[in-house]
Amino acid sequence: MAATSSENGRVDSPYSYDHFTGVGAKARKPPERHFLWWCAGAYQDLLKDCPSEQTKYAGLGGVLLATFVLAALSAGYAIYSVFNDAVWAVVFALV
């Protein structure tokens, strides 16, 4: 029995690891994006193949997102306390 390659470059064989891990079923799903992985700066296509690293990068993305939100709030409050203008505080916090 000869092994053939599919369109995504994986080997189609009854003895490949794809049959045990379900990677072939994942390849048929539409691509999904994870916001926390994006916040962490992870390469999402590679991370989908490594389930043991997914929670680590989701946690890292959550920490970075929380840091961003708290920094934006504190910057907005600092500008508001100096200039007493809510418009400038919101603009500066978003920037």
Coordinates of all heavy atoms in Angstrom, one line a residue:
M1 N 0.8 -1.2 0.0 CA 0.0 0.0 0.0 C 0.9 1.2 0.0 O 1.8 1.4 0.8 CB -0.9 0.0 1.2 CG -1.7 1.3 1.4 SD -2.6 1.4 2.9 CE -3.8 0.1 2.6
A2 N 0.7 2.1 -1.0 CA 1.5 3.3 -1.1 C 0.8 4.5 -0.4 O -0.4 4.6 -0.4 CB 1.7 3.7 -2.6
A3 N 1.6 5.3 0.3 CA 1.1 6.5 1.0 C 1.0 7.6 0.0 O 2.0 7.9 -0.8 CB 2.0 6.8 2.2
T4 N 0.0 8.3 0.0 CA -0.2 9.5 -0.9 C -0.3 10.8 -0.1 O -0.7 10.7 1.1 CB -1.5 9.4 -1.8 OG1 -2.6 9.3 -0.9 CG2 -1.4 8.1 -2.6
S5 N 0.0 11.9 -0.7 CA -0.1 13.2 0.0 C -1.4 13.8 -0.3 O -1.9 13.8 -1.5 CB 1.1 14.1 -0.4 OG 2.3 13.7 0.2
S6 N -2.0 14.5 0.6 CA -3.2 15.2 0.4 C -2.8 16.7 0.0 O -1.6 17.0 -0.1 CB -4.1 15.2 1.6 OG -3.4 15.9 2.7
E7 N -3.8 17.5 -0.2 CA -3.6 18.9 -0.7 C -2.9 19.7 0.4 O -2.3 20.7 0.1 CB -4.9 19.5 -1.1 CG -5.9 19.7 0.0 CD -6.8 18.5 0.3 OE1 -6.7 17.5 -0.5 OE2 -7.5 18.6 1.3
N8 N -3.0 19.3 1.7 CA -2.4 20.1 2.7 C -1.0 19.6 3.1 O -0.4 20.1 4.0 CB -3.3 20.2 4.0 CG -3.5 18.8 4.6 OD1 -3.0 17.8 4.1 ND2 -4.3 18.8 5.6
G9 N -0.5 18.6 2.3 CA 0.9 18.2 2.5 C 1.0 17.0 3.5 O 2.1 16.5 3.7
R10 N -0.1 16.6 4.1 CA 0.0 15.5 5.1 C -0.1 14.1 4.3 O -0.7 14.0 3.2 CB -1.2 15.6 6.1 CG -1.1 16.8 6.9 CD -2.0 16.7 8.1 NE -2.0 17.8 8.9 CZ -1.1 18.0 9.9 NH1 -0.2 17.1 10.2 NH2 -1.2 19.1 10.6
V11 N 0.5 13.1 4.9 CA 0.5 11.8 4.3 C -0.9 11.1 4.6 O -1.2 11.0 5.8 CB 1.6 11.0 4.8 CG1 1.6 9.6 4.2 CG2 2.9 11.7 4.4
D12 N -1.6 10.7 3.6 CA -2.8 9.9 3.7 C -2.5 8.4 3.8 O -2.2 7.8 2.7 CB -3.8 10.2 2.6 CG -4.3 11.6 2.7 OD1 -4.4 12.1 3.8 OD2 -4.7 12.1 1.6
S13 N -2.4 7.9 4.9 CA -2.1 6.5 5.1 C -2.9 5.9 6.3 O -3.1 6.7 7.2 CB -0.6 6.3 5.4 OG -0.3 5.0 5.8
P14 N -3.2 4.7 6.3 CA -4.0 4.1 7.4 C -3.1 4.1 8.7 O -3.6 3.9 9.8 CB -4.4 2.8 7.0 CG -3.6 2.4 5.8 CD -3.1 3.7 5.2
Y15 N -1.8 4.2 8.5 CA -0.9 4.1 9.7 C -0.3 5.5 10.1 O 0.7 5.5 10.8 CB 0.2 3.1 9.3 CG -0.3 1.8 9.0 CD1 -0.2 1.3 7.7 CD2 -0.9 1.0 9.9 CE1 -0.7 0.1 7.4 CE2 -1.5 -0.2 9.6 CZ -1.3 -0.7 8.3 OH -1.9 -1.9 8.0
S16 N -0.8 6.6 9.7 CA -0.3 7.9 10.0 C -0.9 8.3 11.4 O -1.9 7.8 11.8 CB -0.6 8.9 9.0 OG -2.0 9.2 9.0
Y17 N -0.2 9.3 12.0 CA -0.7 9.8 13.3 C -1.9 10.6 13.2 O -2.6 10.8 14.2 CB 0.4 10.6 14.0 CG 1.6 9.8 14.5 CD1 2.8 9.8 13.9 CD2 1.4 9.0 15.6 CE1 3.8 9.0 14.4 CE2 2.4 8.2 16.1 CZ 3.6 8.3 15.5 OH 4.6 7.5 16.0
D18 N -2.2 11.1 12.0 CA -3.4 11.9 11.8 C -4.7 11.1 12.2 O -5.7 11.7 12.6 CB -3.5 12.4 10.4 CG -2.5 13.4 10.0 OD1 -1.8 13.8 11.0 OD2 -2.3 13.7 8.8
H19 N -4.7 9.8 12.0 CA -5.9 9.0 12.3 C -6.1 8.9 13.8 O -7.2 8.7 14.2 CB -5.8 7.7 11.6 CG -5.9 7.8 10.1 ND1 -4.9 8.1 9.3 CD2 -7.0 7.6 9.3 CE1 -5.3 8.1 8.1 NE2 -6.6 7.8 8.0
F20 N -5.1 9.0 14.6 CA -5.2 8.9 16.0 C -5.5 10.2 16.7 O -6.2 10.3 17.7 CB -3.9 8.3 16.6 CG -3.6 6.9 16.1 CD1 -2.6 6.7 15.3 CD2 -4.4 5.9 16.5 CE1 -2.3 5.4 14.8 CE2 -4.2 4.6 16.1 CZ -3.1 4.4 15.2
T21 N -5.0 11.3 16.1 CA -5.1 12.6 16.7 C -6.3 13.4 16.2 O -6.7 14.4 16.8 CB -3.9 13.5 16.5 OG1 -3.7 13.6 15.1 CG2 -2.6 12.9 17.1
G22 N -6.9 13.0 15.1 CA -8.0 13.7 14.5 C -7.6 15.0 13.8 O -8.4 15.9 13.6
V23 N -6.4 15.1 13.3 CA -5.9 16.3 12.6 C -6.6 16.4 11.3 O -6.9 17.5 10.9 CB -4.4 16.2 12.4 CG1 -3.9 17.4 11.6 CG2 -3.7 16.2 13.8
G24 N -7.0 15.3 10.7 CA -7.7 15.4 9.4 C -9.0 16.0 9.6 O -9.5 16.8 8.7
A25 N -9.7 15.8 10.7 CA -11.0 16.4 11.0 C -10.8 17.9 11.2 O -11.7 18.7 10.9 CB -11.7 15.7 12.1
K26 N -9.7 18.3 11.9 CA -9.5 19.7 12.1 C -9.2 20.5 10.8 O -9.5 21.6 10.7 CB -8.3 19.9 13.1 CG -8.5 19.5 14.5 CD -7.3 19.7 15.3 CE -7.4 19.2 16.7 NZ -6.2 19.3 17.4
A27 N -8.6 19.8 9.9 CA -8.2 20.4 8.6 C -9.5 20.8 7.8 O -9.5 21.8 7.1 CB -7.3 19.6 7.8
R28 N -10.6 20.1 8.0 CA -11.8 20.4 7.3 C -12.6 21.5 7.9 O -13.5 22.1 7.3 CB -12.7 19.1 7.2 CG -12.1 18.1 6.2 CD -13.0 16.9 6.1 NE -12.2 15.7 6.1 CZ -12.2 14.9 7.1 NH1 -13.0 15.0 8.1 NH2 -11.4 13.8 7.0
K29 N -12.3 21.9 9.1 CA -13.1 22.9 9.8 C -12.6 24.3 9.2 O -11.5 24.4 8.8 CB -12.8 22.9 11.3 CG -13.4 21.8 12.0 CD -13.2 21.9 13.5 CE -13.7 20.8 14.3 NZ -13.4 20.9 15.7
P30 N -13.5 25.3 9.3 CA -13.0 26.6 8.8 C -12.0 27.2 9.9 O -12.1 26.8 11.0 CB -14.3 27.4 8.9 CG -15.2 26.7 9.7 CD -14.9 25.3 9.6
P31 N -11.1 28.0 9.4 CA -10.1 28.5 10.3 C -10.7 29.4 11.4 O -11.6 30.2 11.1 CB -9.1 29.3 9.4 CG -9.9 29.6 8.2 CD -10.9 28.5 8.0
E32 N -10.3 29.2 12.6 CA -10.8 30.0 13.7 C -9.6 30.7 14.3 O -8.5 30.3 14.3 CB -11.5 29.1 14.8 CG -10.6 28.0 15.3 CD -11.3 27.0 16.2 OE1 -12.4 26.6 15.8 OE2 -10.7 26.7 17.2
R33 N -9.9 31.9 14.8 CA -8.9 32.7 15.4 C -9.2 32.9 16.9 O -10.3 33.0 17.3 CB -8.9 34.1 14.7 CG -8.7 34.1 13.3 CD -7.2 33.7 13.0 NE -7.0 33.6 11.6 CZ -6.1 32.9 11.1 NH1 -5.3 32.2 11.8 NH2 -5.9 32.8 9.8
H34 N -8.2 32.9 17.7 CA -8.3 33.1 19.1 C -7.6 34.4 19.5 O -6.4 34.6 19.2 CB -7.6 31.9 19.8 CG -8.2 30.6 19.6 ND1 -9.3 30.2 20.3 CD2 -7.9 29.6 18.7 CE1 -9.6 29.0 19.9 NE2 -8.8 28.6 18.9
F35 N -8.4 35.3 20.1 CA -8.0 36.6 20.4 C -6.8 36.7 21.4 O -5.9 37.4 21.2 CB -9.1 37.5 20.9 CG -8.8 38.9 21.1 CD1 -8.5 39.8 20.1 CD2 -8.7 39.4 22.4 CE1 -8.1 41.1 20.4 CE2 -8.4 40.7 22.7 CZ -8.1 41.5 21.7
L36 N -6.9 35.8 22.4 CA -5.8 35.8 23.4 C -4.5 35.3 22.8 O -3.4 35.7 23.2 CB -6.2 35.0 24.6 CG -7.4 35.6 25.4 CD1 -7.7 34.6 26.6 CD2 -7.0 36.9 25.9
W37 N -4.6 34.3 21.9 CA -3.3 33.9 21.2 C -2.8 35.0 20.4 O -1.6 35.2 20.3 CB -3.6 32.7 20.3 CG -4.0 31.4 21.0 CD1 -4.0 31.2 22.4 CD2 -4.5 30.2 20.4 NE1 -4.4 30.0 22.6 CE2 -4.7 29.3 21.5 CE3 -4.7 29.8 19.1 CZ2 -5.2 28.0 21.2 CZ3 -5.1 28.6 18.9 CH2 -5.4 27.7 19.9
W38 N -3.6 35.8 19.7 CA -3.2 36.9 18.9 C -2.5 38.0 19.8 O -1.5 38.6 19.5 CB -4.4 37.6 18.2 CG -4.0 38.7 17.4 CD1 -3.3 38.8 16.2 CD2 -4.2 40.1 17.8 NE1 -3.1 40.1 15.8 CE2 -3.6 40.9 16.7 CE3 -4.7 40.7 18.9 CZ2 -3.7 42.3 16.8 CZ3 -4.7 42.1 18.9 CH2 -4.2 42.9 17.9
C39 N -3.1 38.2 21.0 CA -2.5 39.2 22.0 C -1.1 38.7 22.4 O -0.3 39.5 22.6 CB -3.4 39.3 23.2 SG -4.9 40.2 22.9
A40 N -0.9 37.4 22.5 CA 0.3 36.9 22.9 C 1.4 36.9 21.8 O 2.5 36.7 22.0 CB 0.2 35.5 23.4
G41 N 0.9 37.1 20.6 CA 1.8 37.1 19.4 C 2.2 35.7 18.9 O 3.2 35.5 18.3
A42 N 1.3 34.7 19.2 CA 1.6 33.4 18.8 C 1.2 33.1 17.3 O 0.3 33.7 16.8 CB 0.9 32.4 19.7
Y43 N 1.9 32.2 16.7 CA 1.6 31.8 15.4 C 0.5 30.7 15.5 O 0.7 29.6 15.9 CB 2.8 31.2 14.7 CG 2.6 30.8 13.2 CD1 2.3 31.7 12.3 CD2 2.7 29.5 12.9 CE1 2.1 31.4 11.0 CE2 2.5 29.1 11.5 CZ 2.2 30.1 10.6 OH 2.0 29.7 9.3
Q44 N -0.7 31.1 15.2 CA -1.9 30.4 15.5 C -2.0 29.0 14.8 O -2.5 28.0 15.4 CB -3.2 31.2 15.3 CG -3.2 32.4 16.2 CD -4.5 33.1 16.2 OE1 -5.5 32.6 15.6 NE2 -4.6 34.3 16.7
D45 N -1.6 29.0 13.6 CA -1.6 27.7 12.8 C -0.7 26.6 13.5 O -1.1 25.5 13.5 CB -1.3 27.9 11.4 CG -2.3 28.7 10.6 OD1 -3.5 28.7 11.1 OD2 -1.9 29.4 9.6
L46 N 0.4 27.0 13.9 CA 1.3 26.1 14.6 C 0.8 25.8 16.0 O 0.9 24.6 16.4 CB 2.7 26.7 14.7 CG 3.8 25.9 15.4 CD1 4.0 24.6 14.6 CD2 5.1 26.7 15.5
L47 N 0.2 26.7 16.7 CA -0.2 26.5 18.0 C -1.4 25.6 18.0 O -1.7 24.9 19.0 CB -0.6 27.8 18.7 CG -0.8 27.9 20.2 CD1 0.5 27.4 20.8 CD2 -1.1 29.3 20.6
K48 N -2.2 25.5 17.0 CA -3.4 24.6 16.9 C -2.9 23.1 16.9 O -3.6 22.3 17.3 CB -4.2 24.9 15.7 CG -5.0 26.2 15.8 CD -5.8 26.5 14.6 CE -6.5 27.8 14.7 NZ -7.1 28.2 13.5
D49 N -1.7 22.9 16.4 CA -1.1 21.5 16.4 C -0.5 21.2 17.7 O -0.1 20.0 17.8 CB -0.1 21.4 15.2 CG -0.8 21.5 13.9 OD1 -2.0 21.2 13.8 OD2 -0.1 21.8 12.9
C50 N -0.3 22.1 18.6 CA 0.4 21.8 19.9 C -0.6 22.1 21.0 O -0.6 23.2 21.6 CB 1.6 22.7 20.0 SG 2.8 22.5 18.7
P51 N -1.5 21.2 21.4 CA -2.5 21.5 22.4 C -1.9 21.7 23.8 O -2.5 22.4 24.6 CB -3.4 20.2 22.4 CG -2.7 19.2 21.6 CD -1.7 19.9 20.8
S52 N -0.7 21.2 24.1 CA -0.1 21.4 25.4 C 0.3 22.9 25.6 O 0.5 23.3 26.7 CB 1.1 20.5 25.6 OG 2.1 20.8 24.6
E53 N 0.5 23.6 24.5 CA 1.0 25.0 24.6 C -0.2 26.0 24.5 O 0.1 27.2 24.8 CB 2.0 25.3 23.5 CG 3.2 24.4 23.6 CD 4.1 24.7 24.8 OE1 4.3 25.8 25.1 OE2 4.5 23.7 25.4
Q54 N -1.4 25.6 24.2 CA -2.5 26.5 24.0 C -2.9 27.3 25.2 O -3.1 28.5 25.2 CB -3.7 25.8 23.4 CG -3.4 25.2 22.0 CD -4.6 24.4 21.5 OE1 -5.5 24.2 22.2 NE2 -4.4 23.9 20.3
T55 N -2.9 26.6 26.3 CA -3.3 27.3 27.6 C -2.3 28.3 28.0 O -2.6 29.3 28.6 CB -3.7 26.3 28.7 OG1 -2.5 25.5 28.9 CG2 -4.9 25.5 28.3
K56 N -1.0 27.9 27.8 CA 0.1 28.8 28.2 C 0.0 30.1 27.4 O 0.1 31.2 28.0 CB 1.4 28.2 28.0 CG 2.6 29.1 28.3 CD 3.9 28.3 28.3 CE 4.3 27.9 27.0 NZ 5.7 27.3 26.9
Y57 N -0.2 30.1 26.1 CA -0.3 31.3 25.3 C -1.6 32.0 25.5 O -1.6 33.2 25.4 CB -0.1 30.9 23.8 CG 1.3 30.8 23.5 CD1 1.9 29.5 23.5 CD2 2.1 31.9 23.2 CE1 3.3 29.4 23.2 CE2 3.5 31.7 22.9 CZ 4.0 30.5 22.9 OH 5.4 30.3 22.6
A58 N -2.7 31.3 25.9 CA -3.9 32.0 26.2 C -3.7 32.8 27.5 O -4.2 33.9 27.6 CB -5.1 31.0 26.3
G59 N -3.1 32.2 28.5 CA -2.8 32.9 29.7 C -1.9 34.1 29.5 O -2.1 35.2 30.1
L60 N -0.8 33.9 28.7 CA 0.1 35.0 28.4 C -0.7 36.2 27.7 O -0.5 37.3 28.0 CB 1.2 34.5 27.5 CG 2.2 35.6 27.1 CD1 2.9 36.2 28.3 CD2 3.2 35.0 26.1
G61 N -1.6 35.8 26.7 CA -2.4 36.8 26.0 C -3.3 37.5 27.0 O -3.5 38.7 26.9
G62 N -3.9 36.8 28.0 CA -4.7 37.4 29.0 C -4.0 38.4 29.9 O -4.5 39.5 30.2
V63 N -2.8 38.0 30.2 CA -1.9 38.9 31.1 C -1.6 40.2 30.3 O -1.7 41.3 30.8 CB -0.7 38.2 31.5 CG1 0.4 39.2 32.1 CG2 -1.0 37.1 32.5
L64 N -1.3 40.0 29.0 CA -0.9 41.2 28.2 C -2.2 42.1 28.0 O -2.1 43.3 28.0 CB -0.3 40.8 26.9 CG 1.1 40.2 27.0 CD1 1.5 39.6 25.6 CD2 2.1 41.2 27.5
L65 N -3.3 41.5 27.8 CA -4.5 42.2 27.6 C -4.9 43.0 28.8 O -5.3 44.2 28.8 CB -5.7 41.3 27.1 CG -7.0 41.9 26.9 CD1 -6.9 42.9 25.7 CD2 -8.1 40.9 26.6
A66 N -4.8 42.3 30.0 CA -5.1 43.0 31.2 C -4.2 44.2 31.5 O -4.6 45.2 32.0 CB -5.1 42.0 32.4
T67 N -2.9 44.0 31.2 CA -1.9 45.0 31.3 C -2.3 46.2 30.4 O -2.2 47.4 30.9 CB -0.5 44.5 31.0 OG1 -0.2 43.4 31.9 CG2 0.5 45.6 31.2
F68 N -2.7 45.9 29.2 CA -3.1 47.0 28.3 C -4.3 47.8 28.8 O -4.3 49.0 28.8 CB -3.4 46.4 26.9 CG -4.1 47.4 26.0 CD1 -3.4 48.4 25.4 CD2 -5.4 47.2 25.8 CE1 -4.0 49.3 24.6 CE2 -6.1 48.1 24.9 CZ -5.4 49.2 24.4
V69 N -5.3 47.1 29.3 CA -6.5 47.7 29.8 C -6.2 48.6 31.0 O -6.6 49.7 31.1 CB -7.6 46.7 30.1 CG1 -8.8 47.3 30.8 CG2 -8.1 46.0 28.8
L70 N -5.4 48.0 31.9 CA -5.1 48.8 33.1 C -4.2 50.0 32.8 O -4.4 51.1 33.4 CB -4.4 47.9 34.2 CG -5.4 46.9 34.8 CD1 -4.6 46.0 35.7 CD2 -6.5 47.6 35.6
A71 N -3.3 49.9 31.9 CA -2.5 51.0 31.5 C -3.3 52.1 30.8 O -3.1 53.3 31.0 CB -1.4 50.5 30.6
A72 N -4.3 51.7 30.0 CA -5.1 52.6 29.3 C -6.0 53.4 30.3 O -6.2 54.6 30.2 CB -6.0 51.9 28.3
L73 N -6.5 52.6 31.3 CA -7.4 53.3 32.3 C -6.5 54.3 33.2 O -7.0 55.4 33.5 CB -8.0 52.2 33.2 CG -9.1 51.4 32.6 CD1 -9.6 50.3 33.5 CD2 -10.3 52.3 32.2
S74 N -5.4 53.9 33.6 CA -4.5 54.7 34.4 C -4.1 55.9 33.6 O -4.0 57.1 34.2 CB -3.4 54.0 35.0 OG -2.5 53.5 34.0
A75 N -3.8 55.8 32.3 CA -3.4 56.9 31.5 C -4.5 57.9 31.3 O -4.4 59.1 31.4 CB -2.8 56.5 30.2
G76 N -5.7 57.3 31.1 CA -6.9 58.2 31.0 C -7.2 59.0 32.3 O -7.5 60.2 32.2
Y77 N -7.0 58.3 33.4 CA -7.3 59.0 34.7 C -6.2 60.0 34.9 O -6.5 61.1 35.5 CB -7.3 58.0 35.8 CG -7.6 58.6 37.1 CD1 -8.8 59.1 37.5 CD2 -6.5 58.7 38.1 CE1 -9.1 59.7 38.7 CE2 -6.8 59.3 39.3 CZ -8.0 59.8 39.6 OH -8.3 60.4 40.8
A78 N -5.0 59.8 34.6 CA -3.9 60.8 34.8 C -4.2 62.0 33.9 O -4.0 63.1 34.4 CB -2.6 60.1 34.4
I79 N -4.6 61.8 32.7 CA -4.9 63.0 31.8 C -6.1 63.7 32.3 O -6.2 65.0 32.3 CB -5.0 62.5 30.4 CG1 -3.7 62.0 29.8 CG2 -5.6 63.6 29.5 CD1 -2.6 63.0 29.8
Y80 N -7.1 63.0 32.8 CA -8.3 63.6 33.3 C -8.0 64.4 34.6 O -8.5 65.5 34.7 CB -9.4 62.6 33.6 CG -10.7 63.2 34.1 CD1 -11.5 63.8 33.3 CD2 -11.0 63.0 35.4 CE1 -12.7 64.4 33.7 CE2 -12.2 63.6 35.9 CZ -13.0 64.3 35.1 OH -14.2 64.9 35.5
S81 N -7.2 63.9 35.4 CA -6.9 64.6 36.7 C -6.0 65.8 36.4 O -6.1 66.8 37.2 CB -6.2 63.7 37.7 OG -4.9 63.3 37.2
V82 N -5.3 65.9 35.3 CA -4.4 67.1 35.0 C -5.3 68.1 34.3 O -5.2 69.3 34.6 CB -3.2 66.6 34.2 CG1 -2.5 67.9 33.7 CG2 -2.3 65.8 35.0
F83 N -6.0 67.7 33.2 CA -6.7 68.7 32.4 C -8.2 68.8 32.7 O -8.8 69.7 32.1 CB -6.5 68.3 30.9 CG -5.1 68.3 30.5 CD1 -4.4 67.2 30.1 CD2 -4.4 69.6 30.4 CE1 -3.1 67.2 29.7 CE2 -3.1 69.6 30.0 CZ -2.4 68.5 29.6
N84 N -8.8 68.0 33.5 CA -10.2 68.0 33.8 C -11.1 68.0 32.5 O -12.1 68.7 32.5 CB -10.6 69.2 34.7 CG -10.0 69.0 36.1 OD1 -9.9 67.9 36.6 ND2 -9.7 70.1 36.7
D85 N -10.7 67.2 31.5 CA -11.4 67.1 30.3 C -11.6 65.7 29.9 O -10.6 65.0 29.7 CB -10.7 67.9 29.2 CG -11.6 68.0 27.9 OD1 -12.8 67.7 28.0 OD2 -11.0 68.4 26.9
A86 N -12.8 65.2 29.9 CA -13.0 63.8 29.7 C -12.7 63.4 28.2 O -12.3 62.2 28.0 CB -14.5 63.4 30.0
V87 N -12.9 64.3 27.3 CA -12.6 64.0 25.9 C -11.1 63.7 25.7 O -10.7 62.7 25.1 CB -13.1 65.1 24.9 CG1 -12.7 64.8 23.5 CG2 -14.6 65.3 25.1
W88 N -10.3 64.5 26.2 CA -8.8 64.3 26.1 C -8.4 63.0 26.8 O -7.5 62.3 26.4 CB -8.0 65.5 26.6 CG -8.0 66.6 25.7 CD1 -8.6 67.8 25.8 CD2 -7.3 66.6 24.4 NE1 -8.4 68.6 24.7 CE2 -7.5 67.9 23.8 CE3 -6.4 65.7 23.8 CZ2 -7.0 68.3 22.6 CZ3 -5.9 66.1 22.6 CH2 -6.1 67.3 22.0
A89 N -9.0 62.7 28.0 CA -8.7 61.5 28.7 C -9.0 60.3 27.9 O -8.2 59.3 27.8 CB -9.5 61.5 30.0
V90 N -10.2 60.3 27.3 CA -10.6 59.1 26.4 C -9.7 59.0 25.2 O -9.2 57.9 24.9 CB -12.1 59.2 26.0 CG1 -12.4 58.1 25.0 CG2 -12.9 59.1 27.3
V91 N -9.4 60.1 24.6 CA -8.5 60.0 23.4 C -7.1 59.6 23.8 O -6.5 58.7 23.1 CB -8.4 61.4 22.7 CG1 -7.4 61.5 21.7 CG2 -9.8 61.8 22.1
F92 N -6.6 60.1 24.9 CA -5.2 59.7 25.3 C -5.2 58.2 25.7 O -4.2 57.5 25.5 CB -4.7 60.6 26.4 CG -3.2 60.4 26.7 CD1 -2.3 61.0 25.9 CD2 -2.9 59.6 27.8 CE1 -0.9 60.8 26.2 CE2 -1.5 59.4 28.1 CZ -0.6 60.0 27.3
A93 N -6.2 57.8 26.4 CA -6.3 56.4 26.8 C -6.4 55.4 25.7 O -5.7 54.4 25.7 CB -7.5 56.2 27.8
L94 N -7.1 55.8 24.6 CA -7.1 54.9 23.4 C -5.8 54.9 22.7 O -5.5 53.9 22.1 CB -8.3 55.4 22.5 CG -9.7 55.1 23.1 CD1 -10.8 55.7 22.1 CD2 -9.9 53.7 23.3
V95 N -5.2 56.0 22.7 CA -3.9 56.1 21.9 C -2.9 55.3 22.7 O -2.1 54.5 22.2 CB -3.4 57.5 21.7 CG1 -2.0 57.6 21.2 CG2 -4.3 58.2 20.8

